[in-house]
Amino acid sequence: MEWFRNRIEAKIVIDDWRRHYNEVRPHSSLNYGTPLAYRQRLESNSTTAVIARTEWS
């Protein structure tokens, strides 16, 4: 468990953790890639993303 001395420290530590989780840490559900890399792959192939969104609606 993490204890914080004040709200500013909590905000900094939590933001660092969030960035690590989303930009550095690999996720097995994303074929051991990061959520950031997954999002960039989707955005680089925007036509596929648009088609997928249309099919799910």
Side-chain angles (χ1 to χ4, degrees):
M1 179 186 283
E2 186 82 36
W3 291 91
F4 307 109
R5 289 175 277 188
N6 54 48
R7 290 178 63 181
I8 294 170
E9 180 189 18
K11 182 177 177 177
I12 291 168
V13 170
I14 291 167
D15 192 48
D16 286 345
W17 175 87
R18 182 187 55 79
R19 285 186 183 174
H20 176 78
Y21 188 85
N22 290 319
E23 297 174 9
V24 177
R25 180 182 176 271
H27 294 255
S28 61
S29 63
L30 299 175
N31 200 23
Y32 294 96
T34 65
L36 178 63
Y38 180 77
R39 180 180 178 186
Q40 289 171 341
R41 249 190 343 266
L42 282 179
E43 289 175 348
S44 71
N45 194 356
S46 61
T47 34
T48 303
V50 170
I51 291 170
R53 278 192 220 129
T54 305
E55 290 175 355
W56 291 345
S57 297

